[in-house]
């Protein structure tokens, strides 16, 4: 059976890596990338995909049910990998409504579109990409497993938790074939420079202050984005319907320690004295409701489906810093909104 896979949010950070991996590794599939192109979505992230015969881009809002329904019909979609979301915790604190709208109502619209488009559920899959933040915060010990109860704290994580529940509700109520995965913090190329790692690399490059929330003692579990895309590939093809899989790097870092590593690597690659940019560290008011620690136990994925991270953190962070320094035009364009002009040239009034 021909696979026609709808990837939502494919112009974003993780989505663009996933689209590239699927388009390149599965030339026999049709990959349909549907994205609203918010501030976080950039077609420039996928320039190398534009002429691939098995790749199609459709600009649409996942909340627009008729538009999504017509994507299902036109492209005969039989698999969905759903990434489109508002993704930044700080923005969710300022504007919770848009998070509920896209993450909850958008996911519901997509589920309903799949359910109504699919006459039979044979050989269909709705795969929902979620976050470890739904589990809340850990103390100094322990890990999130697939059975950890949900306890979200930010409007972002509350909206993602709600979307996960809707996906499972569609599986339990209507039999929609669905899988959910919950991943830890990703890093790598094409991440919008509002998130810690690209923001700080960009600020070091521009000699701007590095705003460390609170005392910098919060802990995150970092995974290279291509390892996340590989995990999604494995789960999409071999995961069990109705199951949840946790994805993590077994790679915990206290923010301040990570920041010092980033400074060291960035200074060296910029030809500065290593550690010189530590003077830019500025402790600022903590994020409201800031979760102390995330750490994922991804043993289920490792033992049942054979996935594990391929890249060591030291190599990943070096590659990441190098990428942002080599792609300063991309950084300048996304921070200034200059890609709007690029879209207009490429797509005219459709954008
Ligand atoms: P991102 O913000 O970089 O990309 C999100 C994409 O979704 C953008 O291209 C944006 O234009 C698109 N989008 C937003 N609203 C839309 C709408 N209404 N309709 C259609 N498209 C819309 O996010 P990301 O970091 O790549 O995250 C992708 C997914 O992975 C999200 O669901 C996020 O919750 C999840 N996730 C992210 C991380 C991480 O560390 N970044 C970790 C775990 C899970
Ligand atoms: O855990 C998975 C989640 O990781 C994803 O679901 C989210 O989409 C993604 O944004 C990320 O959330 P975080 O809030 O952990 O990522 P962020 O890069 O915003 O922050 C990482 C840590 O760094 C966090 O403890 C807050 C801190 N921080 C962040 C920024 C932007 C700072 O100290 N200063 C900053 O300026």
């Amino acid at each position: 059976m021909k696979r026609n896979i709808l990837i939502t949010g494919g112009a974003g950070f993780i989505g663009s890596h996933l689209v590239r991996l699927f388009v390149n590794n599965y030339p026999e599939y049709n990959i349909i990338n549907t994205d609203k192109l918010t501030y976080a979505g950039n077609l420039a992230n996928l320039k190398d995909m534009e002429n691939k015969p098995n790749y199609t881009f459709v600009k649409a809002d996942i909340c627009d049910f008729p538009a999504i329904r017509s994507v299902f019909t036109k492209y005969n979609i039989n698999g969905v990998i759903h990434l489109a979301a508002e993704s930044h915790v700080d923005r969710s604190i300022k504007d919770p409504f848009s998070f509920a709208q896209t993450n909850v109502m958008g996911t519901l619209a997509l589920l309903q579109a799949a359910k109504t488009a699919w006459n039979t559920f044979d050989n269909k899959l709705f795969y929902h990409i979620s976050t470890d933040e739904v589990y809340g915060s850990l103390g100094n010990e322990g890990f999130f497993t697939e059975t950890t109860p949900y306890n979200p704290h930010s409007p972002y994580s509350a909206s993602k938790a709600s979307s996960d529940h809707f996906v499972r509700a569609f599986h339990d109520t209507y039999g929609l074939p669905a899988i959910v995965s919950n991943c830890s913090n990703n890093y790598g190329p094409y991440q919008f420079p509002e998130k810690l790692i690209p923001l700080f690399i960009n600020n070091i490059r521009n000699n701007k202050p590095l705003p460390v929330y609170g005392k910098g003692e919060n802990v995150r579990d970092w995974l290279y984005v291509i390892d996340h895309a590989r995990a999604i590939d494995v789960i999409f093809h071999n995961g069990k319907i109705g199951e949840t899989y946790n994805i993590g790097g077994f790679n915990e870092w206290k923010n301040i320690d990570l920041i010092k590593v980033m400074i060291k690597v960035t200074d060296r690659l910029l030809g500065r004295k290593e550690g010189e940019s530590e003077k830019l560290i500025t402790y600022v008011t903590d994020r409201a409701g800031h979760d102390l620690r995330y750490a994922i136990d991804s043993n289920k994925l490792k033992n049942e489906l054979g996935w594990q991270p391929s890249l060591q953190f030291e190599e990943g962070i070096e590659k990441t810093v190098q990428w942002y320094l080599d792609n300063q035009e991309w950084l300048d364009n996304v921070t200034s909104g200059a890609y709007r002009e690029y879209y207009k040239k490429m797509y005219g009034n459709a954008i």
Side-chain angles (χ1 to χ4, degrees):
M1 193 196 69
K2 180 94 182 159
R3 294 257 205 185
N4 300 315
I5 301 171
L6 170 62
I7 297 183
T8 70
F13 166 48
I14 301 169
S16 59
H17 290 280
L18 186 72
V19 165
R20 184 171 294 104
L21 185 146
F22 268 68
V23 167
N24 286 339
N25 288 5
Y26 302 104
E28 71 278 22
Y29 295 0
N30 286 321
I31 304 302
I32 295 87
N33 168 17
T34 294
D35 198 296
K36 184 183 173 184
L37 300 179
T38 67
Y39 78 95
N42 285 296
L43 289 176
N45 298 359
L46 290 166
K47 251 182 150 168
D48 52 331
M49 296 292 106
E50 274 160 14
N51 297 320
K52 299 276 185 175
N54 61 334
Y55 171 70
T56 306
F57 174 71
V58 179
K59 184 178 185 284
D61 184 336
I62 53 164
C63 302
D64 181 347
F65 181 76
I68 296 300
R69 188 67 177 78
S70 75
V71 172
F72 271 81
T73 314
K74 182 168 178 194
Y75 298 99
N76 192 20
I77 298 297
N78 46 33
V80 176
I81 310 180
H82 172 38
L83 294 96
E86 289 294 340
S87 68
H88 190 41
V89 174
D90 294 327
R91 285 181 190 256
S92 81
I93 294 168
K94 293 200 186 90
D95 175 21
F97 277 113
S98 60
F99 282 70
Q101 177 64 16
T102 288
N103 299 358
V104 184
M105 295 310 288
T107 300
L108 183 53
L110 209 56
L111 285 162
Q112 188 70 2
K115 176 175 150 300
T116 54
W118 292 342
N119 295 325
T120 132
F121 289 155
D122 291 346
N123 298 311
K124 308 289 194 307
L125 178 61
F126 189 105
Y127 177 12
H128 177 58
I129 306 303
S130 192
T131 171
D132 59 358
E133 300 201 8
V134 297
Y135 298 123
S137 183
L138 291 164
N140 293 326
E141 302 289 322
F143 294 90
F144 297 133
T145 72
E146 286 80 0
T147 56
T148 302
Y150 275 30
N151 185 19
H153 295 127
S154 71
Y156 164 69
S157 53
S159 69
K160 290 296 290 187
S162 173
S163 67
D164 294 7
H165 290 319
F166 268 110
V167 174
R168 295 193 181 107
F170 268 62
H171 171 264
D172 297 349
T173 307
Y174 308 110
L176 188 86
I179 294 179
V180 177
S181 62
N182 298 81
C183 188
S184 63
N185 287 62
N186 287 214
Y187 71 99
Y190 297 115
Q191 188 170 30
F192 194 84
E194 62 187 349
K195 311 279 166 59
L196 179 76
I197 290 186
L199 174 74
F200 276 38
I201 296 169
N202 198 26
N203 284 8
I204 296 168
R205 157 174 95 96
N206 292 317
N207 272 309
K208 283 168 67 177
L210 306 175
V212 180
Y213 297 163
K215 294 182 179 153
E217 283 175 352
N218 303 69
V219 174
R220 296 292 182 264
D221 172 2
W222 293 94
L223 179 69
Y224 194 63
V225 61
I226 292 172
D227 276 329
H228 187 189
R230 285 178 48 247
I232 295 172
D233 181 3
V234 167
I235 294 168
F236 181 81
H237 288 100
N238 302 318
K240 249 174 80 186
I241 303 291
E243 291 286 315
T244 295
Y245 297 91
N246 277 357
I247 310 170
F250 284 111
N251 178 43
E252 289 180 54
W253 285 86
K254 205 179 258 192
N255 287 344
I256 192 66
D257 296 336
L258 174 75
I259 288 162
K260 287 185 178 164
V261 170
M262 256 195 295
I263 289 173
K264 204 169 143 192
V265 175
T266 311
D267 278 347
R268 175 165 47 76
L269 294 177
L270 282 171
R272 296 181 189 164
K273 197 166 144 261
E274 272 186 25
E276 189 184 319
S277 301
E278 281 193 22
K279 62 176 187 285
L280 299 173
I281 290 177
T282 311
Y283 289 94
V284 299
T285 309
D286 207 353
R287 174 185 276 174
H290 199 171
D291 288 332
L292 177 66
R293 174 172 167 258
Y294 304 143
I296 278 276
D297 178 344
S298 50
N299 273 314
K300 174 176 173 182
L301 181 55
K302 183 176 169 202
N303 297 335
E304 292 184 12
L305 303 185
W307 174 91
Q308 54 185 341
S310 67
L311 204 69
Q312 289 296 315
F313 184 69
E314 290 65 25
E315 198 187 329
I317 198 73
E318 179 96 15
K319 270 169 87 123
T320 301
V321 174
Q322 189 68 64
W323 188 88
Y324 286 100
L325 297 181
D326 288 346
N327 290 276
Q328 301 196 17
E329 200 185 336
W330 181 92
L331 270 174
D332 291 338
N333 281 341
V334 295
T335 45
S336 67
Y339 277 132
R340 302 289 133 194
E341 294 311 309
Y342 169 81
Y343 300 148
K344 263 195 212 132
K345 251 186 265 153
M346 294 285 299
Y347 294 91
N349 292 331
I351 301 291

